[in-house]
Amino acid sequence: YAVSRFSVAAGLMAPWIGTASSPKVLKQAMECGAWVAFGYIGQAVGLMTTTASKSCFICSLNVVFVAMIVGITKRKFDPQTLAAAVLAVAGVGFLELAGSQQFVIGDLISLAQPIGFGMGYIRLEEIMEKNPKDALPVTAVKLGMVALASWAYYILTTGTPDLEPVLASSAALTGILYTGLVTTALALVVESVAFRFIDATSASVIFTTEPLWAAIFAIWLINEPFSAVDAVGGALVIGANVIKEMPEESLPWNWKSEEKSTDP
């Protein structure tokens, strides 16, 4: 699935590699793509033993990882980001961890997701801040790196992939084309463009809404139930995004200092 999905996405975006503004941008995009590939391989290997819900929760920890790395590199403690991160992780936990299994080795392997995806966000922010017009070539290189990593991992562990079953099944082919073109290529282009306007910490908080959207679409399309626990989780995730984007002076811990500054 990964080989098919990322090959389709990388093939679509490949023509834009030549439009990069400089070789340096391509090199930086390769590093960014390598981190993302690391995250995806950890996700795939982890899912051999862990559950999808636990994998999703572990992936959401990228919001904590990004906040930690940014705080260390900038030497600045940001209580607003920390509060948003805690709320976001708690919300995803409510959405995904009901009735979860005991610890398995796949949980540990899945930690590649917050590390790989988190570093990918940080590197993408750095690239787009200095090269705002390179969204398409950067996305193309990232997808190429993930596709190459998927092929390499498959060949090393299993052998040459047999794509005939995918090509012979209309359902599988439709799924691969949709996920490759829409939820991978298009989504990553939009992500790259968005990083022209937001930072990595904000993006990592926003991405924690993914399980909430999954729950909403599951209710709409396949009539899955939405429990009170799901509602609590959704409220926490939304609250995290609200807190992250609020003006600093509007936050509760700044109220007293704001009052003092307005005293005559």
Side-chain angles (χ1 to χ4, degrees), residues 34-209:
W35 281 113
V36 175
F38 175 68
Y40 274 117
I41 289 175
Q43 180 185 81
V45 177
L47 282 169
M48 293 179 182
T49 51
T50 194
T51 61
S53 58
K54 287 177 74 176
S55 177
C56 182
F57 174 76
I58 293 169
C59 183
S60 74
L61 296 178
N62 74 77
V63 68
V64 178
F65 178 82
V66 170
M68 180 182 69
I69 296 299
V70 170
I72 292 172
T73 55
K74 294 185 177 181
R75 297 180 180 180
K76 180 182 178 183
F77 174 74
D78 183 4
Q80 184 174 4
T81 298
L82 179 61
V86 171
L87 278 180
V89 172
V92 175
F94 273 97
L95 284 165
E96 299 292 350
L97 293 185
S100 185
Q101 67 178 113
Q102 297 295 317
F103 173 82
V104 293
I105 190 62
D107 298 339
L108 187 61
I109 296 171
S110 295
L111 287 172
Q113 295 178 93
I115 296 172
F117 297 150
M119 284 302 301
Y121 299 153
I122 292 170
R123 292 291 180 254
L124 183 58
E125 178 190 348
E126 294 171 354
I127 296 169
M128 297 311 300
E129 183 179 8
K130 297 178 181 179
N131 310 277
K133 295 182 179 180
D134 281 331
L136 290 174
V138 167
T139 303
V141 172
K142 282 173 58 181
L143 288 170
M145 292 296 293
V146 179
L148 286 173
S150 300
W151 277 90
Y153 182 82
Y154 194 102
I155 291 171
L156 288 173
T157 59
T158 309
T160 305
D162 179 13
L163 300 179
E164 186 176 346
V166 175
L167 298 174
S169 168
S170 60
L173 190 58
T174 300
I176 291 296
L177 289 174
Y178 178 77
T179 55
L181 300 177
V182 179
T183 67
T184 303
L186 178 60
L188 288 185
V189 168
V190 173
E191 175 185 278
S192 296
V193 173
F195 268 78
R196 293 166 55 183
F197 309 102
I198 61 173
D199 56 28
T201 53
S202 295
S204 63
V205 174
I206 292 168
F207 286 141
T208 60
T209 64

